[in-house]
Amino acid sequence: MIDQDIVQRIKVICIFLLQFYKVLMGTMMTLFVPQTCKSISDGSENNIIIGETNRICTITENFENNEIYHQLTLYWNSISFFCFICVYILELKRESWAIKFLDIDNNKPDNSLKEIIIQEPKLDKYMDKLNKYYFYGLSVTAFVYMINVLLMINVLYQDYHSMSTISCFISFTLLVQMKLYNSLSVAYYSVKDDKMMSAFMSEFVSFNVLDNDYLISKNLTNINNP
C-alpha cells in the first residue's frame, strides 16, 4: 500500500508544475502576449530597416525590443515573476511541513487541529509562522502583479495587433488572478482561524490532525483523540 504522504506529495508537485507554467505566461506577458512588429531588417549587424509589415513579433523580438517603456515593463514582469517564485518556495515549504507533521481526517471538523496542536507548542508556533509568512508574501506579490498588469495595458495600446492580443492578455491575467485569489483565501483563513489549509489539495482541504508517523515517533498515539 502506497503511503498517504507520498500520494499527497505527488499530487502537490503535479499541481505546482501546472500552476508554475500558468504563472510564467501570466507574468512575463511582454514576451508572450502577441504584439505587432511594424518593421523588418535586412538581418545584418547594422540592423538596417528594409520594409514594414504587420506581423506578430516573435518571443525573441519582444525580448530584444529596446524601446524604453517596453524594457521597463519587461523588467517589472521579471520582478513579478521572481515574487511568485518566492511565494512558491514558501508555499511548497508550508505544504511539505503540513504533509510531514499533519494529516487529514474526514471524520473530524476542519477546525479540530487548533485544539490538538496546542498540545505540541513547537508545532503550533511554527505553523503560525509559516501561515503569516505565506500571507505577507502573497500580499506583496499581489501588489506587484497589479502594477504589472497596469504597465502591460500601455504596451498593448502601443503594439496592439489583433483580438488575439486582448484575448491572450485577459486569459493570462485571469489565470494568475485566480491563483492569487485562491492562495490569498487559503492564507487569510489559515491565519484568521489558526489552522492549516492546503493550497494545492482539491477543495482546499484543511489539515486537521497530527500525522500518524509523527505521533508514533513521539509515542503520542492518543493525542488526536483528546
Side-chain angles (χ1 to χ4, degrees), residues 100-118:
K100 181 177 180 180
F101 292 103
L102 308 178
D103 216 334
I104 301 166
D105 187 345
N106 293 325
N107 296 318
K108 293 182 179 294
D110 286 347
N111 59 357
S112 63
L113 179 62
K114 186 174 182 179
E115 299 176 359
I116 296 172
I117 200 170
I118 197 172

Side-chain angles (χ1 to χ4, degrees), residues 173 184 201:
T173 302
L184 278 168
M201 306 294 184

Side-chain angles (χ1 to χ4, degrees), residues 185-198:
S185 296
V186 168
Y188 174 76
Y189 286 110
S190 292
V191 172
K192 178 178 178 291
D193 299 331
D194 194 18
K195 61 183 181 180
M196 178 62 75
M197 293 178 65
S198 172

Side-chain angles (χ1 to χ4, degrees), residues 4-5 7-9 11-12 95 98-110 112-113 116 196-212 224:
Q4 187 64 28
D5 286 359
V7 174
Q8 291 175 349
R9 290 182 190 279
K11 186 174 183 179
V12 166
E95 206 76 15
I99 291 172
K100 181 177 180 180
F101 292 103
L102 308 178
D103 216 334
I104 301 166
D105 187 345
N106 293 325
N107 296 318
K108 293 182 179 294
D110 286 347
S112 63
L113 179 62
I116 296 172
M196 178 62 75
M197 293 178 65
S198 172
F200 290 98
M201 306 294 184
S202 61
E203 299 180 2
F204 303 125
V205 297
S206 179
F207 294 95
N208 56 2
V209 294
L210 297 181
D211 187 81
N212 283 332
N224 278 335

Side-chain angles (χ1 to χ4, degrees), residues 96-159:
S96 179
W97 179 88
I99 291 172
K100 181 177 180 180
F101 292 103
L102 308 178
D103 216 334
I104 301 166
D105 187 345
N106 293 325
N107 296 318
K108 293 182 179 294
D110 286 347
N111 59 357
S112 63
L113 179 62
K114 186 174 182 179
E115 299 176 359
I116 296 172
I117 200 170
I118 197 172
Q119 300 175 64
E120 288 289 300
K122 288 184 178 180
L123 292 183
D124 188 22
K125 184 177 180 180
Y126 195 72
M127 183 183 75
D128 291 342
K129 183 168 70 172
L130 284 175
N131 282 336
K132 288 178 181 178
Y133 285 167
Y134 183 46
F135 178 72
Y136 295 150
L138 279 167
S139 299
V140 171
T141 301
F143 176 75
V144 171
Y145 187 69
M146 282 176 56
I147 298 176
N148 197 39
V149 172
L150 293 175
L151 290 173
M152 274 302 302
I153 291 175
N154 192 47
V155 171
L156 301 184
Y157 176 76
Q158 293 177 349
D159 299 320

